Amino acid sequence: MTNLLILAAATPDLPGRLNPVKLFLDADIVVQAVMLGLLLASVWTWTIIVSFSLRIAAVRRRCREYETDFWEADSFEGLMTRRGKKDIASARVAAAAMHEWKHSVTGGRVVDRDGLRQRLAAAMESQVAAEADDLSSRLNFLATVGSVAPFVGLFGTVWGIMNSFFQIGQQQNSSLAVVAPGISEALFATAIGLFAAIPAVIAYNRFSHAVNALEARLQRFADRFHASLSREIEGL
């Protein structure tokens, strides 16, 4: 019994679980730089996720409300004058068509009806594409983090393992107690890389689908408005 007590007193207290902060502080400077970069990328990723979620929800709501009023209005031009086109994607699509209409219809007459139809369609399609590009511009960072972060974390892991083997050579001791801490710190870099990459990939796929759905909605609105304008052209 006495020997067991002495052995227990001589054994240092071991942590019951991994301590991320300690793993970071004990890591090599290169591994620390990798971890810090991945953490910053993760923070920026979550910032984009939250901000884009709020933005896409607001864009959908504004488009839905505007399109409802648009098709119920007696005059398209009157509605566009009242509501304007600020921060409303559907309004900007309609404004692109009306801009082309005003430049092509002079004195209530149209020289080339088919040409006007084509120009109206091209103007609205161009604006729909511009709206989709504007929404998806910040998603490139999510795609970059999702594809690069695991490899950056792997670089930190490889560097940490190389450093652990260097320590083995310096201390002439290949026991697990010498190697394990360095390997744990190195593997932590890969874990942080996955922590940054997984939400980025999920968010990118989900937001890309949302942008595509909104683009399809705007295109349907443009097609319906084009049909209405085509009927107006036939009456000129």
Side-chain angles (χ1 to χ4, degrees):
M1 179 64 70
T2 303
N3 292 336
L4 291 176
L5 293 176
I6 294 174
L7 181 61
T11 302
D13 293 333
L14 298 177
R17 63 184 65 185
L18 290 176
N19 187 340
V21 176
K22 190 175 188 309
L23 288 175
F24 174 80
L25 295 177
D26 293 342
D28 182 78
I29 185 64
V30 175
V31 181
Q32 285 183 344
V34 169
M35 292 180 184
L36 186 59
L38 291 172
L39 288 174
L40 292 176
S42 179
V43 170
W44 187 242
T45 295
W46 280 104
T47 302
I48 293 176
I49 290 173
V50 173
S51 62
F52 191 88
S53 298
L54 297 175
R55 183 184 181 188
I56 196 69
V59 170
R60 287 172 178 167
R61 185 184 68 255
R62 295 191 189 107
C63 288
R64 182 174 60 252
E65 294 173 353
Y66 181 84
E67 291 172 21
T68 300
D69 295 340
F70 188 85
W71 298 121
E72 293 177 353
D74 296 330
S75 172
F76 294 154
E77 292 188 11
L79 175 65
M80 293 175 63
T81 301
R82 293 194 307 270
R83 295 289 299 271
K85 60 181 181 179
K86 183 179 180 180
D87 293 334
I88 305 177
S90 299
R92 288 190 286 269
V93 173
M98 296 306 299
H99 179 76
E100 181 61 37
W101 176 277
K102 291 178 180 178
H103 281 74
S104 300
V105 178
T106 56
R109 301 187 61 182
V110 179
V111 177
D112 184 4
R113 288 183 172 85
D114 291 336
L116 176 56
R117 291 189 181 95
Q118 293 176 5
R119 290 193 297 272
L120 289 172
M124 287 189 286
E125 288 176 0
S126 177
Q127 187 60 42
V128 169
E131 296 294 333
D133 290 342
D134 180 64
L135 280 173
S136 60
S137 60
R138 298 183 67 185
L139 299 184
N140 292 331
F141 182 80
L142 296 180
T144 301
V145 172
S147 59
V148 173
F151 295 101
V152 175
L154 183 61
F155 167 76
T157 297
V158 171
W159 184 274
I161 292 176
M162 289 171 56
N163 187 58
S164 296
F165 280 113
F166 178 77
Q167 294 299 326
I168 291 175
Q170 289 292 102
Q171 300 181 21
Q172 299 294 321
N173 188 352
S174 60
S175 66
L176 189 61
V178 174
V179 181
I183 294 179
S184 298
E185 297 155 9
L187 292 175
F188 188 49
T190 297
I192 296 179
L194 295 176
F195 177 77
I198 292 174
V201 171
I202 295 174
Y204 177 79
N205 292 333
R206 183 176 180 84
F207 291 156
S208 295
H209 176 73
V211 171
N212 291 336
L214 181 64
E215 184 178 9
R217 180 192 185 102
L218 293 176
Q219 189 60 55
R220 289 192 297 269
F221 172 76
D223 292 341
R224 187 176 176 184
F225 190 35
H226 184 267
S228 298
L229 293 176
S230 295
R231 289 191 294 269
E232 293 288 338
I233 294 173
E234 292 174 359
L236 297 177

